[in-house]
Amino acid sequence: RVLIVEDEFLIAMDIEDSIMQAEDEADVIGIANRLDDAIALGRSADVAFVDVNLADGQTGPEIGRRLSENGVVVIFMTANPEVVGNLGVGAGVISKPVPQDAVEQCLSYAIAKRAGTHAVTPIGMLPFD
């Protein structure tokens, strides 16, 4: 179950499309564009793709922290990777724009991390562990 936290509708739709086309079985449970919605939807998520700057400001790091505390594997997707690089939150960060194959690779990575199996780091992603 994948949550997309992104305030730009077209980008969110592209990410959702990439997830739906991925070989890994995953369902998008929702798209959130602000902290409150992301936390509410995150209660039933296993994986979350989180942008840093959202409709309510730079709340992505806080969303990532809260979701991670609840066992969600968080992958930050942002044009500002330096903002989350040293927070100690999430599984990693990848810079926008993110090509479709990179979204699919990040999904595979997150699923493997959640399962506790070997995860191949996607090209262009900076892992945090």
Side-chain angles (χ1 to χ4, degrees):
R1 298 169 304 212
V2 180
L3 171 62
I4 300 168
V5 184
E6 171 63 63
D7 65 331
E8 292 187 42
F9 180 74
L10 293 177
I11 292 173
M13 293 290 93
D14 283 344
I15 295 169
E16 181 178 34
D17 187 53
S18 296
I19 291 167
M20 302 309 286
Q21 291 182 30
E23 290 182 25
D24 294 290
E25 284 195 31
D27 294 318
V28 175
I29 61 166
I31 298 171
N33 67 358
R34 55 188 337 105
L35 187 136
D36 293 343
D37 295 336
I39 299 306
L41 287 168
R43 292 186 184 104
S44 59
D46 298 311
V47 174
F49 291 106
V50 180
D51 190 8
V52 169
N53 295 305
L54 300 163
D56 55 355
Q58 197 174 62
T59 57
E62 176 65 12
I63 292 167
R65 184 187 65 75
R66 290 194 196 180
L67 294 178
S68 292
E69 287 174 353
N70 291 322
V72 178
V73 177
V74 174
I75 305 285
F76 290 102
M77 294 182 150
T78 177
N80 305 301
E82 66 281 352
V83 173
V84 295
N86 296 321
L87 294 177
V89 170
V93 63
I94 190 163
S95 294
K96 283 182 174 178
V98 181
Q100 178 177 335
D101 62 334
V103 172
E104 294 174 18
Q105 291 170 15
C106 287
L107 177 62
S108 295
Y109 178 85
I111 290 171
K113 293 295 277 183
R114 182 151 177 88
T117 60
H118 176 69
V120 176
T121 304
I123 295 171
M125 186 180 116
L126 173 65
F128 294 153
D129 47 10

